[in-house]
Amino acid sequence: ADEALKQHVKNELMKTYRRQESAYRIAVVDTPYMLRNFTGNTWNFHVPNDNDVAISDNGIVCSVTNTMIWSRNTVTNAIHGSYDLHTLTSTLGLQQEEFDPKIIFDPQANRFIAIMLNGFTDSTSNTLVGFSQTDSSWGAWNFYSLPGNPLNDTSWTDFPMASITGNELFITVNLLNNDSSWQTGFKQTIIWQIKKSEGYTGASLNPLLHYGINYSGINVRNLCPVKGGSQIYGPDMYFLSNRNFTLSNDTFFLVHINDTIYAPGQTLTVTPVLSDINYHMPVNALQPFTDSLAVNDARVLGAFTENGIIQFVFSNFDTASGKDCLFHGIADSTAGWNITGNLYVDAQRDLAYPNISYSGNSASDNRAIIVLLYSSPSIFPGTGAIAFDGTNQFSGITKIRAGTGYVNMLLGNERWGDYTGSQRRYNQNGYVWVSGQYAFSSNHRTYTWIAELFPDNVTAVPENIPSDNSALLFPNPSAGRITVAFTNPQNQFLVFEIVDAAGKLVKQLFKGAVVNGDNEFSFSTDALAAGNYLLRISGNASGNVVAKKFVKN
């Protein structure tokens, strides 16, 4: 019945709105600038990709998909992987049915955490949790298995989401009826609360299970944990949910756990909060092929908290234009958590499966970068990114990886993704790493693409390298030679590099000691083709980076 209702709602939305057109938001913010970007996991016959990504403070990128894990050292460019998730979890002795992986980097412990599911019935279902023993994702792990039927009510576990506080890991999953799909078999969403220290040391886990989470007797569905923005926070943890199968609604649910595991005063509260605009369940996206692309529903897919607000995103439907779009919401703690909503509608493309990370630098800076998938009847499925300026303005879409063909992996509607990956690099202010996918022309499958992004309009300004506000490039544009003048706050080791508009390293200009005080550095642009470039200055005291854009005539 639920599936029939869901399909009815989508059919009515498509029939009523799909071919209408309307005015679109005018982009006034610079698009995110893409630096390093490269292929991730290769397709391994599993659908959908289910992309997630994490990056360590020492530059290790870890990518997970159904059903693979892959890593790359961005300092040495050495690749470690791919290998399947069953190899990673082999110490548990379970059947080979791993799916829905998530990956987290913990900057406080300098470790990775992996979460995935195993099994599709109440007797085989488990939630698998792994803690890396070192700061690399390809070394040894401590893996654990949590029951997929924890309430002994013939349930199995689906769709994990996770986030961390300073001391704890929180995992949300949906419990489904046996022999039922994720659309029709929903029972309730539960939360596992786990001490990270137990996992890192290899001790037995003593998790706390939160269940029966409801409002007015109706179970709250698909709880999205709210991650930290610029850093890891805690002990409080927030979660966001909505009526994800609704035709139209303005209600969200904020779930709050106020203390550490087993604390005497710990409480879990569910608070309804209202948005100033309604949201709608998305319809299937279109592509240059007869099969449409499944967009699932309107569940919250990514959220972070910073400066007393929560920013979050999910797939939505715009009734004015008849297109799938992005819903970006801001829940303000000073306004009773009530939500200010924005719809980001693209004039050409359907947008789906967004994720979001903080890209700001201060208590007055609420910028964010949003990654998403896109497609249209004339545009092959690909991945893009949008910058949010922290107030009410958005950029256009940066193409992270354009598709070269259509998706054709299944009979009927295509599963082109359930989520994308996004993480701020914690020791590089403003920098965000994302993972999405694109359709490949030769076999019409989807492949993972990973990218490093930063907001182009204001670059990160760490304390230990030249201030971006004081660094001056001249002449710019230039046909011959460029000089950068800057104030260096301390004696230190700096690296000067040129990066092209695609994020590819063109040339390392200088690598050595630079003295404290006012400095100038000059370099020739004679060997560069005409176009846009970035001068990247990296400091040795941390992984922070300053970047200045220049044009070669």
Side-chain angles (χ1 to χ4, degrees):
D2 288 346
E3 173 62 17
L5 177 59
K6 174 192 168 188
Q7 192 57 51
H8 171 73
V9 170
K10 289 198 172 193
N11 290 341
E12 288 302 306
L13 287 168
M14 285 190 289
K15 182 172 63 177
T16 305
Y17 301 112
R18 175 49 99 175
R19 296 304 174 191
Q20 296 185 17
E21 298 293 338
S22 70
Y24 296 91
R25 176 186 296 272
I26 299 174
V28 297
V29 178
D30 289 340
T31 57
Y33 196 92
M34 183 166 62
L35 291 165
R36 289 167 289 187
N37 62 103
F38 41 79
T39 188
N41 284 316
T42 56
W43 186 70
N44 67 331
F45 303 98
H46 287 85
V47 177
N49 279 46
D50 289 348
N51 273 295
D52 201 13
V53 71
I55 182 165
S56 71
D57 286 350
N58 59 357
I60 305 301
V61 173
C62 184
S63 163
V64 292
T65 62
N66 273 340
T67 56
M68 307 292 290
I69 183 169
W70 178 96
S71 299
R72 177 171 179 166
N73 186 325
T74 61
V75 178
T76 66
N77 287 324
I79 295 176
H80 304 270
S82 299
Y83 55 95
D84 61 64
L85 299 177
H86 189 66
T87 300
L88 190 69
T89 63
S90 59
T91 57
L92 298 175
L94 299 173
Q95 61 190 342
Q96 190 164 351
E97 286 187 347
E98 290 80 14
F99 64 101
D100 282 3
K102 294 293 179 73
I103 189 76
I104 295 172
F105 174 70
D106 181 353
Q108 294 187 1
N110 197 26
R111 298 288 188 271
F112 289 93
I113 301 174
I115 303 100
M116 65 199 72
L117 304 180
N118 180 276
F120 299 92
T121 67
D122 67 312
S123 60
T124 63
S125 178
N126 294 276
T127 298
L128 312 185
V129 187
F131 300 82
S132 69
Q133 294 181 12
T134 70
D135 59 359
S136 68
S137 55
W138 57 84
W141 291 71
N142 300 325
F143 257 94
Y144 302 86
S145 177
L146 304 175
N149 182 24
L151 303 179
N152 295 314
D153 61 351
T154 65
S155 297
W156 63 281
T157 287
D158 187 45
F159 200 81
M161 304 187 82
S163 187
I164 55 175
T165 59
N167 296 315
E168 295 173 335
L169 165 67
F170 293 82
I171 304 171
T172 69
V173 295
N174 295 331
L175 299 185
L176 307 180
N177 284 307
N178 269 339
D179 302 318
S180 297
S181 68
W182 62 267
Q183 296 100 331
T184 63
F186 176 76
K187 288 186 174 181
Q188 63 174 297
T189 297
I190 60 172
I191 302 171
W192 292 103
Q193 186 176 0
I194 300 167
K195 285 185 178 180
K196 295 188 301 184
S197 59
E198 295 174 346
Y200 291 135
T201 60
S204 298
L205 296 186
N206 296 284
L208 175 61
L209 177 65
H210 301 272
Y211 61 95
I213 305 167
N214 72 89
Y215 182 75
S216 296
I218 300 175
N219 288 331
V220 177
R221 182 170 185 162
N222 303 315
L223 287 169
C224 177
V226 179
K227 62 189 177 183
S230 63
Q231 59 185 293
I232 305 303
Y233 294 114
D236 292 45
M237 174 58 75
Y238 291 92
F239 309 81
L240 270 174
S241 179
N242 60 7
R243 300 299 192 197
N244 57 298
F245 285 128
T246 189
L247 176 63
S248 180
N249 209 305
D250 64 354
T251 303
F252 292 81
F253 300 95
L254 183 69
V255 175
H256 177 209
I257 296 177
N258 73 325
D259 209 339
T260 55
I261 190 169
Y262 299 118
Q266 186 190 72
T267 60
L268 184 152
T269 58
V270 181
T271 304
V273 291
L274 298 180
S275 170
D276 60 347
I277 62 172
N278 280 21
Y279 57 88
H280 306 80
M281 185 175 70
V283 301
N284 292 339
L286 303 179
Q287 64 166 337
F289 186 59
T290 54
D291 293 351
S292 60
L293 304 170
V295 187
N296 293 344
D297 54 49
R299 73 186 65 185
V300 180
L301 291 171
F304 72 82
T305 180
E306 189 74 20
N307 300 328
I309 66 173
I310 295 173
Q311 294 190 48
F312 63 95
V313 291
F314 58 90
S315 304
N316 188 62
F317 184 75
D318 175 44
T319 58
S321 66
K323 286 183 169 59
D324 287 326
C325 67
L326 163 73
F327 188 107
H328 170 266
I330 295 178
D332 189 342
S333 62
T334 64
W337 291 114
N338 282 333
I339 291 167
T340 300
N342 285 295
L343 299 187
Y344 185 98
V345 185
D346 185 80
Q348 297 178 298
R349 294 165 283 196
D350 287 317
L351 309 177
Y353 300 115
N355 205 338
I356 188 169
S357 289
Y358 178 62
S359 61
N361 298 315
S362 70
S364 60
D365 188 352
N366 291 312
R367 287 175 296 152
I369 288 178
I370 300 165
V371 62
L372 44 74
L373 304 184
Y374 64 78
S375 182
S376 86
S378 60
I379 299 174
F380 294 127
T383 297
I386 299 165
F388 174 64
D389 74 347
T391 56
N392 193 35
Q393 302 295 337
F394 296 84
S395 74
I397 296 177
T398 291
K399 288 185 181 179
I400 293 175
R401 187 62 164 88
T404 60
Y406 56 83
V407 179
N408 185 19
M409 298 183 289
L410 301 172
L411 294 176
N413 295 338
E414 301 291 340
R415 297 287 303 279
W416 63 323
D418 280 351
Y419 44 84
T420 53
S422 176
Q423 186 215 297
R424 177 187 176 95
R425 184 163 176 180
Y426 294 108
N427 66 338
Q428 287 190 353
N429 288 339
Y431 284 68
V432 173
W433 283 78
V434 299
S435 64
Q437 62 204 50
Y438 67 100
F440 192 50
S441 59
S442 65
N443 58 12
H444 303 295
R445 305 318 192 218
T446 54
Y447 290 84
T448 297
W449 199 260
I450 297 168
E452 176 189 28
L453 305 171
F454 71 90
D456 194 32
N457 53 338
V458 181
T459 306
V461 188
E463 293 181 355
N464 68 311
I465 57 177
S467 166
D468 192 53
N469 294 326
S470 65
L472 175 65
L473 279 173
F474 57 91
N476 188 13
S478 171
R481 194 165 191 84
I482 288 182
T483 297
V484 56
F486 60 92
T487 301
N488 188 23
Q490 66 185 67
N491 295 332
Q492 62 177 312
F493 190 92
L494 294 179
V495 179
F496 293 74
E497 298 169 314
I498 295 176
V499 178
D500 68 17
K504 181 180 178 181
L505 177 64
V506 176
K507 185 178 182 180
Q508 185 178 97
L509 300 169
F510 174 79
K511 185 176 183 180
V514 179
V515 298
N516 174 44
D518 294 336
N519 288 268
E520 286 189 359
F521 176 81
S522 297
F523 60 96
S524 172
T525 62
D526 289 342
L528 299 178
N532 295 324
Y533 295 90
L534 195 76
L535 174 65
R536 183 168 64 193
I537 309 172
S538 306
N540 67 311
S542 78
N544 288 323
V545 175
V546 155
K548 297 294 291 186
K549 191 174 181 179
F550 69 90
V551 178
K552 165 63 186 301
N553 282 338

